[in-house]
Amino acid sequence: MKSCVRKLLVMKIADSFIQGFASRSAYWTLPILIIMVVPIGFCAIGQDFSTIAQSHSLQIESLPKKVSSNYIPNLIQVHVDVYSGGQPEGEAAFKELRSMGFQTIISVDGVTPNVAAAESYQMRYVHLPHGYDGISDSRMLELAKAIRDLPKPIYIHCHHGKHRSPTAASTACVLVGLINKSDARSVLEIAGTGKNYVGLFATVERAKFDSTRDWSKVQVDFQVTALMPPMTRSMVSIDHHWSRIQTAVQSDLVNDNSLLRNQKNIDTHHDLLMLKELYVELTRGSRAINDIAFSNYLHDGVRIIDKISLKTPETLTELEQNCKACHQLYRDTPNAKPE
């Protein structure tokens, strides 16, 4: 409406000027025209600049956001200097991270980091693992301290980049005041964090920025590798063999040559054997002995593993359901693990 009024006013003044010029009185009409039109013109220009600026700001992508990558799973930019994603596998992944400018890699996974690969590309590795059931207050502060003090940009990863690393990255950023709580929740949504991981969501909710915190009192000895509990090490190994079995069983064997097919059979049989041994070993532990439900999950798992082969992909779903039910009871819910 204001724009229309402004245009009509300009047209009216211009019309008066033309009439005045035609009546040979332009000598007084021109100064009036300049006095009246120039401020209006500046207002119009100011409005145009404002419109352009608003239009430009709409074109700038807001954070957090998903980032395209060739070798890094589920890469998410949480903040200008902080990213989350899955475990970098192989030289190509570390090379890509370096090409993106990363200087520090933080692993929150139970797997021992590939320190040599990172160092070969002049990147520092720090190991600050945590579980699926949430992040302790002390580990939250350590992660936040890393975000504040270590060389940036920083890449934080777990195995798949869906659960632990987005929680760690978003929580640490909230603690140091880089993002707000709403953005932290968005990080988990973008990453695809399962709603059943209630401990991880609870971690984000309890994260708070404290402007009065004295970070010099938060002492952290950043290690390249952390000592892991036996149960964690077992679960890491199970996940490793399970991922290989899934890939082999779900792959297209029809297009494989006989040599490749035979090797895939050998590798899968070995992974199944290792997976079964890991389950059996866990059944002998004190946790399984003292908890009947946990023991039943493990024994059912052994039974299902015996049925898995390259020709029976449907058995994968059965073992997945077994794992999911056990995880929901002992892993995903905080403080529900048997001692």
Side-chain angles (χ1 to χ4, degrees), residues 60-339:
I60 299 175
E61 291 184 273
S62 60
L63 299 179
K65 67 176 182 179
K66 197 77 171 284
V67 179
S68 176
S69 171
N70 294 322
Y71 300 101
I72 306 301
N74 213 26
L75 183 60
I76 297 170
Q77 186 174 9
V78 179
H79 176 262
V80 173
D81 291 322
V82 182
Y83 291 68
S84 165
Q87 181 176 332
E89 295 278 3
E91 183 179 354
F94 285 95
K95 184 177 181 180
E96 182 176 24
L97 285 174
R98 187 53 184 165
S99 69
M100 297 175 71
F102 289 106
Q103 297 192 62
T104 302
I105 305 175
I106 300 176
S107 171
V108 295
D109 193 16
V111 175
T112 301
N114 190 344
V115 178
E119 290 181 347
S120 68
Y121 285 98
Q122 295 78 51
M123 293 182 291
R124 179 180 179 179
Y125 232 133
V126 172
H127 197 196
L128 296 170
H130 67 82
Y132 288 91
D133 56 340
I135 310 177
S136 66
D137 290 342
S138 58
R139 182 46 49 94
M140 286 169 63
L141 288 176
E142 290 170 344
L143 287 163
K145 180 79 169 182
I147 292 296
R148 290 184 80 257
D149 295 352
L150 297 182
K152 300 173 182 60
I154 296 173
Y155 177 60
I156 303 177
H157 78 82
C158 55
H159 188 184
H160 301 291
K162 291 184 63 177
H163 308 297
R164 290 168 294 173
S165 63
T167 304
S170 58
T171 299
C173 285
V174 169
L175 286 178
V176 298
L178 296 182
I179 66 173
N180 58 38
K181 191 70 67 68
S182 176
D183 287 337
R185 297 188 191 102
S186 296
V187 172
L188 271 61
E189 292 175 2
I190 296 170
T193 306
K195 296 297 183 182
N196 55 311
Y197 292 82
V198 294
L200 298 180
F201 282 93
T203 296
V204 171
E205 290 304 318
R206 78 173 193 273
K208 294 181 180 179
F209 169 62
D210 182 0
S211 60
T212 64
R213 189 187 305 279
D214 184 359
W215 287 99
S216 65
K217 294 182 179 180
V218 180
Q219 300 296 320
V220 188
D221 183 17
F222 293 117
Q223 300 289 327
V224 293
T225 57
L227 187 63
M228 303 300 298
M231 174 63 75
T232 302
R233 291 200 300 269
S234 295
M235 290 301 173
V236 166
S237 296
I238 285 174
D239 192 49
H240 169 73
H241 291 291
W242 173 237
S243 295
R244 285 167 53 91
I245 293 166
Q246 282 182 305
T247 300
V249 174
Q250 294 172 351
S251 63
D252 186 5
L253 293 177
V254 176
N255 296 325
D256 291 344
N257 59 48
S258 59
L259 184 62
L260 182 60
R261 189 181 302 113
N262 289 336
Q263 186 60 49
K264 192 173 291 186
N265 271 290
I266 293 171
D267 292 342
T268 303
H269 285 310
H270 178 263
D271 283 320
L272 284 168
L273 176 61
M274 294 298 99
L275 186 65
K276 180 178 178 179
E277 290 298 334
L278 287 165
Y279 267 72
V280 171
E281 188 66 28
L282 286 174
T283 64
R284 299 173 183 152
S286 60
R287 178 170 292 183
I289 293 173
N290 296 325
D291 190 286
I292 296 175
F294 185 62
S295 179
N296 287 339
Y297 281 124
L298 292 173
H299 283 96
D300 286 343
V302 171
R303 175 183 55 80
I304 298 168
I305 291 170
D306 284 334
K307 299 191 299 182
I308 296 176
S309 72
L310 292 173
K311 297 180 180 179
T312 59
E314 67 278 358
T315 52
L316 292 178
T317 302
E318 189 176 355
L319 187 59
E320 283 178 343
Q321 292 173 346
N322 173 269
C323 292
K324 184 178 292 186
C326 185
H327 289 167
Q328 287 177 343
L329 182 59
Y330 296 110
R331 188 188 74 175
D332 304 343
T333 305
N335 304 320
K337 298 178 181 178
E339 298 296 333

